[in-house]
């Protein structure tokens, strides 16, 4: 049976409303609450963008100072969540650790069951503050290292790098991290955000919705692509080998990770900014191997398939050049996107209707029941 309204993968289906972001296809730019994302990356901090998504306006200087103070004072994790991260198997994937940590944070938040607008905003700020700590603690425990406590002197991007390494990062790395966090913050009804909205639409709480969203982001067709793309680039290994590698992969009908996008057919609007950052990091470390190699992969994909890279591609090799361990790439995506998810959960709860689509039945027609003793 077919139905004209059915669109596999829900491609092109309008599944709801949102005031948070849209892709302006005329200029191929992502617009957050009216502001051009590229302009935000050039002029704002991640915290300003997070404030914009949670409160609907860019903060004044005083509002930003108060927001920063709130964030920095709420970075610590409850002791049992630290114990949970400490006791996890060393080979647990950091995304599994983070998903479990976020889920367990619900136990220690007195406002967990309160879906009112104000309580949701307060919980979002707490989660935004705590996720980098959970990410960094989980990682350090897995390496047999003691955790590095958050530093209230440092902003979101710098503190994240500091807690991973135990050393203050150079300014150019903080800038690169800040930009990638802004680029990852929000992107409409993508798979993980839609997951969060579906969960929220049952009137489940914000922690439940964000735990589910982390699960959805992990897959390599979504956020997990930044890790998968880096594994692929490591396999290619040299710019000279890149063209043939892509040709061979395509001949074997392999998907090239970090390429393609459901919404962008003429290139992901976030890529030029992230590629620029990648080049800046390459210049700072004095080695352009990875962006050079990536450019050959990109040109070959364009020539052979007409498919553009998505933001995960330049993010992958940029993080690699910054020495960030590959299994942390998707968790860093979480540390940014949590604010987009939270803003969508707030929108959903503020004007809720259960999300419950239909399906086309493909099973057998009516069948006569056969008693257990007669089945053979
Ligand atoms: N490598 C090779 N071929 C590709 C790629 C790719 N990365 N992406 C799409 N194609 C091809 C498909 O094989 C298909 O070809 P066909 O029509 O000959 O079968 C055609 O382009 C359409 O691709 P679909 O997978 O149907 O497109 P869809 O919109 O369903 O999927 C997706 C989008 C999942 C992003 C896809 O492009 C993909 O798998 N990319 C690789 C994973 C990736 O990078 N994901 C990150 C997305 S961005 C983000 O989450 C931040």
């Amino acid at each position: 049976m077919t139905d004209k309204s059915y669109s596999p993968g829900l491609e092109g289906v309008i599944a709801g409303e949102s005031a948070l972001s849209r892709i302006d296809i005329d200029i191929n730019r992502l617009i957050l609450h009216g502001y051009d994302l590229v302009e935000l990356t050039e002029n704002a901090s991640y915290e300003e963008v997070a404030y914009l998504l949670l409160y609907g306006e860019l903060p004044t200087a005083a509002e930003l100072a108060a927001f920063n103070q709130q964030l920095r004072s709420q970075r610590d994790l409850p002791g049992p969540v630290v114990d949970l991260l400490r006791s996890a198997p060393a080979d647990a994937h950091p995304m599994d650790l983070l998903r479990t940590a976020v889920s367990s944070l619900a136990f220690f938040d007195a406002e967990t069951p309160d879906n009112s607008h104000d309580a949701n905003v307060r919980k979002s700020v707490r989660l935004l503050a705590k996720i980098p700590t959970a990410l960094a603690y989980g990682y350090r425990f897995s390496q047999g290292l003691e955790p590095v406590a958050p530093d209230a002197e440092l902003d979101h991007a710098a503190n994240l790098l500091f807690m991973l390494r135990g050393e203050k990062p150079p300014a150019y790395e903080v800038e690169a991290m800040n930009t990638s966090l802004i680029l990852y913050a929000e992107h409409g009804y993508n798979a993980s955000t839609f997951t969060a909205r579906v969960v929220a639409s049952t009137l489940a709480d914000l922690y439940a919705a964000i735990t589910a969203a982390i699960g959805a982001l992990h897959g390599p067709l979504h956020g997990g692509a930044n890790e998968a793309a880096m594994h692929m680039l490591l396999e290619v290994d040299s710019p000279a080998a890149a063209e043939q590698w892509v040709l061979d992969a395509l001949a074997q009908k392999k998907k090239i990770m970090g390429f393609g996008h459901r919404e962008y057919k003429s290139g992901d609007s976030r890529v030029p900014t992230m590629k620029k950052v990648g080049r800046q990091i390459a210049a700072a470390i004095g080695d352009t191997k990875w962006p050079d190699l990536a450019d050959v992969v990109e040109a070959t994909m364009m020539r052979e398939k007409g498919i553009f890279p998505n933001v995960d591609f330049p993010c992958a090799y940029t993080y690699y050049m910054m020495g960030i361990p590959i299994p942390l790439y998707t968790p860093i995506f979480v540390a940014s996107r949590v604010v987009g998810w939270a803003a969508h959960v707030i929108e959903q709860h503020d004007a809720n209707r259960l999300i419950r689509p239909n399906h086309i039945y493909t099973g057998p027609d009516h069948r006569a029941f056969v008693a257990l003793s007669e089945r053979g």
Side-chain angles (χ1 to χ4, degrees):
M1 186 178 130
T2 56
D3 184 323
K4 282 201 186 84
S5 66
Y6 172 50
S7 172
L10 302 186
E11 179 166 6
V13 170
I14 294 172
E17 295 179 306
S18 175
L20 295 166
S21 71
R22 74 182 177 100
I23 297 169
D24 184 334
I25 43 170
D26 294 333
I27 54 170
N28 203 31
R29 288 284 179 89
L30 181 63
I31 310 296
L32 298 196
H33 251 313
Y35 294 98
D36 184 332
L37 182 71
V38 173
E39 223 178 302
L40 291 171
T41 59
E42 286 164 356
N43 299 291
S45 63
Y46 172 74
E47 287 88 333
E48 285 172 82
V49 174
Y51 188 99
L52 171 68
L53 289 168
L54 291 178
Y55 298 97
E57 295 294 340
L58 284 169
T60 62
E63 286 165 342
L64 181 62
F67 185 57
N68 276 332
Q69 204 280 330
Q70 253 184 309
L71 281 174
R72 292 173 191 206
S73 66
Q74 301 191 80
R75 285 174 174 161
D76 286 334
L77 300 176
V81 177
V82 177
D83 293 342
L84 180 74
L85 290 169
R86 195 190 292 272
S87 61
D91 61 354
H93 192 284
M95 278 295 275
D96 296 337
L97 290 178
L98 197 51
R99 193 193 61 237
T100 305
V102 167
S103 181
S104 71
L105 282 170
F107 304 150
F108 306 99
D109 192 326
E111 293 191 293
T112 292
D114 185 344
N115 291 342
S116 68
H117 182 94
D118 290 350
N120 271 345
V121 172
R122 286 191 294 271
K123 286 184 284 185
S124 303
V125 174
R126 288 195 277 274
L127 253 186
L128 179 59
K130 291 183 195 314
I131 280 181
T133 316
L135 185 167
Y137 279 31
Y139 171 69
R140 288 185 68 89
F141 287 137
S142 76
Q143 303 300 299
L145 299 168
E146 275 308 299
V148 173
D151 183 339
E153 297 296 309
L154 300 178
D155 67 18
H156 206 68
N159 179 57
L160 172 56
L161 290 168
F162 171 69
M163 289 190 297
L164 285 175
R165 301 171 176 163
E167 280 171 20
K168 294 206 173 145
Y172 68 88
E173 288 195 348
V174 176
E175 211 178 299
M177 181 55 70
N178 184 64
T179 303
S180 75
L181 293 176
I182 294 176
L183 292 175
Y184 270 145
E186 152 63 13
H187 208 215
Y189 269 53
N190 57 81
S192 57
T193 302
F194 187 55
T195 301
R197 289 196 81 127
V198 170
V199 175
S201 84
T202 70
L203 296 184
D205 65 76
L206 184 126
Y207 285 97
I210 289 182
T211 303
I214 296 175
L217 190 76
H218 193 177
L221 295 189
H222 192 11
N226 55 13
E227 295 178 21
M230 195 60 228
H231 289 300
M232 182 192 82
L233 291 172
L234 286 168
E235 209 179 302
V236 182
D237 193 46
S238 85
E243 181 177 359
Q244 194 55 49
W245 191 95
V246 174
L247 294 176
D248 292 345
L250 291 177
Q252 293 164 41
K253 304 260 174 260
K254 280 189 186 161
K255 274 207 165 170
I256 310 299
M257 289 303 170
F259 280 80
H261 199 282
R262 177 66 67 77
E263 293 301 313
Y264 294 109
K265 299 306 169 201
S266 55
D268 182 331
S269 65
R270 301 162 295 181
V271 162
T273 305
M274 202 57 221
K275 277 176 73 173
K276 197 158 80 184
V277 171
R279 283 282 167 197
Q280 282 161 356
I281 295 287
I285 64 170
D287 183 357
T288 61
K289 169 182 165 174
W290 294 108
D292 290 349
L293 191 163
D295 282 351
V296 179
V297 174
E298 183 178 335
T300 312
M301 277 298 279
M302 205 55 229
R303 190 188 71 218
E304 296 298 316
K305 300 282 286 185
I307 296 178
F308 293 86
N310 57 58
V311 70
D312 285 327
F313 192 60
C315 257
Y317 61 79
T318 304
Y319 288 164
Y320 191 79
M321 290 186 291
M322 289 165 69
I324 298 172
I326 297 173
L328 298 182
Y329 296 2
T330 319
I332 291 172
F333 193 157
V334 173
S336 162
R337 182 58 61 86
V338 61
V339 76
W341 293 330
H344 277 273
V345 169
I346 293 167
E347 265 192 340
Q348 187 66 39
H349 279 162
D350 285 356
N352 189 56
R353 185 147 195 242
L354 178 73
I355 298 173
R356 203 296 187 195
N358 222 325
H359 74 289
I360 295 168
Y361 176 66
T362 59
D365 209 344
H366 292 288
R367 297 198 279 181
F369 182 78
V370 181
L372 181 60
S373 59
E374 289 166 27
R375 279 174 239 155

